[in-house]
Amino acid sequence: MFIVKTGNHHLFLILKTLSGEEWIVLLGKRKIHFPFYGTRFENATFYNVKKQKLHHFAAEEMKDLIFETKAHWRLSGKTPVDFSLEFVPNPLAKRTLALGMVKFQYHTLRLVSGRIGSEVLKTGHGVSEQGRLITSTFKKLQVPFCYSLLLAADGQGGRIDWKADPKQTFFGLRFLKDRLQWGGLFEPKATETLVQTRVPLKGWVLHREIVKGAQAGRTAYGLKESFDWKGVV
C-alpha cells in the first residue's frame, strides 16, 4: 500500500478580440500521477472559431505556462501562441468527498484584460476546475474519466458533468464524480465537433473534442473528454 497525492487545475475559456475573432481556449496544469500513476501533462490549446484553426501543445511540463492565482488570476505562455490573460475569479462551488481525501473547487472567470499574439481581447469568460486527490491503494493509480462541459457563449450559464469511468477504474475510485449547473444555460438538442485532439499518457489516450451547440439564436461551446486503453507502455 502507498499514498498518492495528485491533482489538477483546468480552465475552459471563451474569448473575443477587438477585431471580432472568437477563440476557445483550454489551459491545464496537472501534478505528477494525475490521472494515472507515473504520468504528468500540461496543455495549452487555442482554437480560432472563425478561421477554424487549431494551435495545440501538450507536454509533461510547460515551463512557460504560468498560472498566478491571487486576487486576480494572471495566465500567460508562449507555446503554442504568445498570450497573456487577466481574470477576476468568482467562487462557484466546492465539493469534498471521502472525509476530505478528495476536494474539488470551481470558479467562473471574467476577463479584465488580455491578448492572444498581437490581438487585444475585448471580452471573455470561462470556468475553472481545481481538484485534489489523496488516496491509499494496493494498485497504481488509474482514473480514466468521462467529462462533459458546456458554457454559454454569452456567459449566462454552464454545466459540468464528469465521473470516473465505472467500466475501467477499480472500485475504490468510482465515487469520483460531480454534476454542476449554473445560470440560464439552455440545452441544445445536438452539438457538433469543431476540432479534436489526442494526448497519449502511458497506456492510455485522452480524446478531447471542442464542441458547439445552438438553439433559438443562442450559442454554447463545450468540451468532451474520454480515455481509451492502449496497453502498458
Side-chain angles (χ1 to χ4, degrees), residues 53-165:
K53 188 172 182 179
L54 174 69
H55 308 264
H56 167 72
F57 187 79
E60 182 177 7
E61 183 179 9
M62 297 175 61
K63 293 184 178 180
D64 65 17
L65 180 60
I66 307 299
F67 283 32
E68 295 181 359
T69 53
K70 297 180 180 179
H72 280 197
W73 290 12
R74 293 178 174 85
L75 316 171
S76 62
K78 299 184 181 300
T79 308
V81 298
D82 188 12
F83 72 96
S84 178
L85 307 169
E86 181 178 349
F87 290 94
V88 173
N90 297 292
L92 181 61
K94 289 184 179 181
R95 302 284 195 262
T96 300
L97 302 171
L99 300 177
M101 301 290 280
V102 180
K103 291 185 178 181
F104 282 90
Q105 187 170 348
Y106 302 92
H107 291 81
T108 56
L109 304 173
R110 178 178 57 81
L111 183 74
V112 176
S113 63
R115 62 173 178 80
I116 298 177
S118 61
E119 289 275 345
V120 176
L121 295 173
K122 180 181 179 181
T123 63
H125 64 280
V127 60
S128 159
E129 172 194 315
Q130 293 168 279
R132 187 193 76 174
L133 168 64
I134 303 174
T135 184
S136 59
T137 176
F138 289 100
K139 291 187 177 182
K140 291 185 176 181
L141 178 68
Q142 293 190 17
V143 191
F145 54 81
C146 303
Y147 187 96
S148 176
L149 179 152
L150 201 63
L151 187 63
D154 59 12
Q156 297 304 307
R159 66 163 169 78
I160 294 174
D161 190 353
W162 68 268
K163 63 181 178 181
D165 191 332

Side-chain angles (χ1 to χ4, degrees), residues 6-233:
T6 186
N8 75 311
H9 189 179
H10 174 255
L11 295 93
F12 181 89
L13 311 170
I14 301 174
L15 308 173
K16 293 184 179 179
T17 68
L18 289 175
S19 65
E21 300 285 352
E22 192 168 34
W23 290 84
I24 309 301
V25 178
L26 312 178
L27 300 174
K29 278 190 168 290
R30 290 144 183 98
K31 296 180 180 180
I32 187 71
H33 306 318
F34 183 91
F36 307 116
Y37 183 85
T39 65
R40 176 185 180 186
F41 82 100
E42 300 181 353
N43 70 278
T45 302
F46 292 75
Y47 180 71
N48 187 306
V49 177
K50 184 177 181 180
K51 296 180 179 178
Q52 299 182 354
K53 188 172 182 179
L54 174 69
H55 308 264
H56 167 72
F57 187 79
E60 182 177 7
E61 183 179 9
M62 297 175 61
K63 293 184 178 180
D64 65 17
L65 180 60
I66 307 299
F67 283 32
E68 295 181 359
T69 53
K70 297 180 180 179
H72 280 197
W73 290 12
R74 293 178 174 85
L75 316 171
S76 62
K78 299 184 181 300
T79 308
V81 298
D82 188 12
F83 72 96
S84 178
L85 307 169
E86 181 178 349
F87 290 94
V88 173
N90 297 292
L92 181 61
K94 289 184 179 181
R95 302 284 195 262
T96 300
L97 302 171
L99 300 177
M101 301 290 280
V102 180
K103 291 185 178 181
F104 282 90
Q105 187 170 348
Y106 302 92
H107 291 81
T108 56
L109 304 173
R110 178 178 57 81
L111 183 74
V112 176
S113 63
R115 62 173 178 80
I116 298 177
S118 61
E119 289 275 345
V120 176
L121 295 173
K122 180 181 179 181
T123 63
H125 64 280
V127 60
S128 159
E129 172 194 315
Q130 293 168 279
R132 187 193 76 174
L133 168 64
I134 303 174
T135 184
S136 59
T137 176
F138 289 100
K139 291 187 177 182
K140 291 185 176 181
L141 178 68
Q142 293 190 17
V143 191
F145 54 81
C146 303
Y147 187 96
S148 176
L149 179 152
L150 201 63
L151 187 63
D154 59 12
Q156 297 304 307
R159 66 163 169 78
I160 294 174
D161 190 353
W162 68 268
K163 63 181 178 181
D165 191 332
K167 296 180 294 183
Q168 302 189 64
T169 192
F170 52 91
F171 177 78
L173 293 176
R174 291 185 183 181
F175 61 87
L176 280 176
K177 61 182 178 179
D178 206 355
R179 179 174 294 176
L180 181 67
Q181 184 161 333
W182 65 97
L185 178 71
F186 64 99
E187 286 290 344
K189 294 181 179 179
T191 59
E192 62 173 308
T193 299
L194 300 179
V195 68
Q196 301 182 54
T197 58
R198 298 168 72 251
V199 180
L201 294 169
K202 270 193 156 181
W204 298 85
V205 176
L206 167 60
H207 297 271
R208 291 179 138 183
E209 299 179 34
I210 296 176
V211 301
K212 177 182 179 181
Q215 184 175 312
R218 296 186 68 193
T219 300
Y221 294 102
L223 176 67
K224 291 183 178 180
E225 295 183 330
S226 62
F227 285 91
D228 279 340
W229 170 245
K230 296 301 181 182
V232 177
V233 177

